[in-house]
Amino acid sequence: MILGLSGFHWALAGAAAAAIGGGIGSSIGITYIANVAAGILVEDPEKFGGLLPLCAIPGTQGIYGFITAVLVVFFFGLIGGEGGKLTSPQGFQIFLACMPVCFACLVSAIYQGLTSVGAAGMVAKRTEEAGKALILPALVETYAALSLIVSIILLLSIKAGM
């Protein structure tokens, strides 16, 4: 056993870390942009449609963390399956495979929220540019999406090697 944890416990910790990292980052990122959007909407409620996508986009990292956690649970049978038979090194590998999503989504959601704040200023002054404003925080999304892909590839390689 690694650090006294079984394979099941390591896999469970990885799934939880992925969900927690993405969830924390998304909640912070959404808070940043939602506070600014609320101030803009007080002055001009007609800008809601342009601001809503900016408020929602930092939430995708939480979804990526959730997806990773669910994949771990189902790939490795953590609910009523073969999860109890995981060796400690296998569980530790699963834990490490969850780390790209855990950390990249935690950080990128926060920065995406900050980028969305800047984009909200653009929408506040020129509503017709809302589409262009959405592109800027979407660029930050790239790294969260790449971390999800890496975690999925790592989980699949662990599953294939078992």
Side-chain angles (χ1 to χ4, degrees):
M1 287 195 185
I2 300 173
L3 298 176
L5 295 177
S6 69
F8 176 84
H9 291 117
W10 277 113
L12 204 58
I20 290 168
I24 289 172
S26 287
S27 63
I28 293 171
I30 289 172
T31 299
Y32 286 145
I33 178 61
N35 283 331
V36 171
I40 294 169
L41 291 173
V42 166
E43 297 294 322
D44 188 357
E46 296 297 318
K47 297 192 185 300
F48 180 77
L51 293 170
L52 182 60
L54 295 174
C55 292
I57 197 168
T60 56
Q61 284 86 342
I63 295 169
Y64 296 163
F66 173 76
I67 289 169
T68 303
V70 168
L71 288 177
V72 168
V73 168
F74 287 107
F75 278 4
F76 302 101
L78 299 186
I79 298 176
E82 302 290 317
K85 296 179 183 174
L86 288 170
T87 65
S88 189
Q90 288 171 329
F92 189 64
Q93 289 174 338
I94 295 166
F95 176 81
L96 292 176
C98 294
M99 293 301 103
V101 162
C102 175
F103 290 111
C105 287
L106 170 67
V107 174
S108 70
I110 294 169
Y111 281 100
Q112 193 169 46
L114 293 171
T115 307
S116 294
V117 166
M122 188 173 168
V123 172
K125 291 187 179 191
R126 299 180 64 192
T127 305
E128 69 276 6
E129 301 293 340
K132 291 179 184 172
L134 186 58
I135 298 297
L136 302 174
L139 294 173
V140 180
E141 181 81 15
T142 303
Y143 302 98
L146 291 175
S147 74
L148 175 64
I149 292 168
V150 168
S151 284
I152 290 172
I153 290 170
L154 292 172
L155 291 171
L156 288 171
S157 68
I158 294 166
K159 180 79 174 158
M162 294 176 58

